[in-house]
Amino acid sequence: MHTRVIAVLLFVRIASLSLAAQTGKIEPIGPASDSSVAEGVKKVLDPKGYRVSLDDGSVACEIWLRNKIPAQPKKDSPGALYSQLAESTLVGIISFPQATTDYRGQNIGKGAYTLRYELIPNDGNHLGVAPNRDFVLLVPAASDENPDATFKFDELVSLSRKATGTKHPGPLSLAQPESGTAAAVSKDDEDHWIFSAAIKLASGEDLPIALVVKGTAPQ
């Protein structure tokens, strides 16, 4: 009987570890301190960040979301999930501890980047890139000092090219969010690692978001 109890406990422990490995881990961390991030940007970030680890224990990134994000009246944007956000709005910052890739598979160097919301143009040239049009574009933190700045599409694309060193910007895909607001990380059927949490809008509303922090577009 005693042996059977031990065996059951070991099974439960192994199953728990296996589940944790499949889902990765979120750890709360303190305020953003990277010297490349402008003080004006740091002031609008939530003081609590998140360290996102994968199933192998490696750290994919650290994320700080903006606090009280300016919102616009929800508008009808075909194919968009986050129509409360105005294009080019600063959503937060992300820091990569080692080189990684964006959603296009382009190389992204380690370091800190701002995350600015943008929509894929609805012009027929990007069909099939993602299930929805919502992305954030990576901009090297040192090149994006004003959190309240707004950019035309071409201006933001030009800034984001500094993250890739190519003729293309550096996108990370935004996905369909779950209804909950607790920070979490999970992996979907296409090997996309997705960070989910809630951002606080200036209106006081919590807006759940989901961001692909590792993984590329289906080929």
Side-chain angles (χ1 to χ4, degrees), residues 40-86:
V41 172
K42 289 178 181 176
K43 288 179 180 178
V44 302
L45 299 176
D46 193 305
K48 182 179 74 173
Y50 303 97
R51 180 174 294 122
V52 182
S53 299
L54 308 183
D55 53 357
D56 61 1
S58 65
V59 176
C61 60
E62 294 178 341
I63 296 175
W64 291 265
L65 298 173
R66 185 174 182 176
N67 191 19
K68 298 181 180 178
I69 294 180
Q72 63 181 5
K74 194 169 184 177
K75 61 181 182 180
D76 184 18
S77 299
L81 297 174
Y82 299 92
S83 56
Q84 301 97 320
L85 300 179

Side-chain angles (χ1 to χ4, degrees), residues 132-148:
N132 49 279
R133 296 174 57 203
D134 312 75
F135 283 79
V136 290
L137 295 186
L138 298 166
V139 178
S143 299
D144 192 359
E145 298 182 350
N146 182 358
D148 297 320

Side-chain angles (χ1 to χ4, degrees), residues 16-188:
S16 298
L17 289 173
S18 176
L19 180 61
Q22 291 174 6
T23 57
K25 184 172 66 172
I26 292 288
E27 299 174 80
I29 54 177
S33 59
D34 193 299
S35 60
S36 68
V37 180
E39 289 302 317
V41 172
K42 289 178 181 176
K43 288 179 180 178
V44 302
L45 299 176
D46 193 305
K48 182 179 74 173
Y50 303 97
R51 180 174 294 122
V52 182
S53 299
L54 308 183
D55 53 357
D56 61 1
S58 65
V59 176
C61 60
E62 294 178 341
I63 296 175
W64 291 265
L65 298 173
R66 185 174 182 176
N67 191 19
K68 298 181 180 178
I69 294 180
Q72 63 181 5
K74 194 169 184 177
K75 61 181 182 180
D76 184 18
S77 299
L81 297 174
Y82 299 92
S83 56
Q84 301 97 320
L85 300 179
E87 293 172 60
S88 85
T89 296
L90 178 73
V91 175
I93 68 168
I94 189 168
S95 179
F96 299 111
Q98 61 269 326
T100 186
T101 57
D102 64 12
Y103 194 67
R104 289 179 55 93
Q106 300 175 112
N107 293 328
I108 301 293
K110 69 177 183 179
Y113 299 83
T114 57
L115 302 171
R116 286 191 176 266
Y117 177 73
E118 193 52 83
L119 292 172
I120 291 178
N122 200 10
D123 57 8
N125 293 327
H126 300 83
L127 293 176
V129 172
N132 49 279
R133 296 174 57 203
D134 312 75
F135 283 79
V136 290
L137 295 186
L138 298 166
V139 178
S143 299
D144 192 359
E145 298 182 350
N146 182 358
D148 297 320
T150 58
F151 302 97
K152 295 179 180 178
F153 178 79
D154 289 342
E155 293 173 337
L156 184 54
V157 166
S158 180
L159 272 177
S160 186
R161 288 183 183 130
K162 296 181 179 182
T164 64
T166 73
K167 64 179 181 179
H168 298 291
L172 296 181
S173 179
L174 285 164
Q176 178 69 52
E178 301 291 338
S179 57
T181 59
V185 60
S186 60
K187 185 167 68 170
D188 68 11

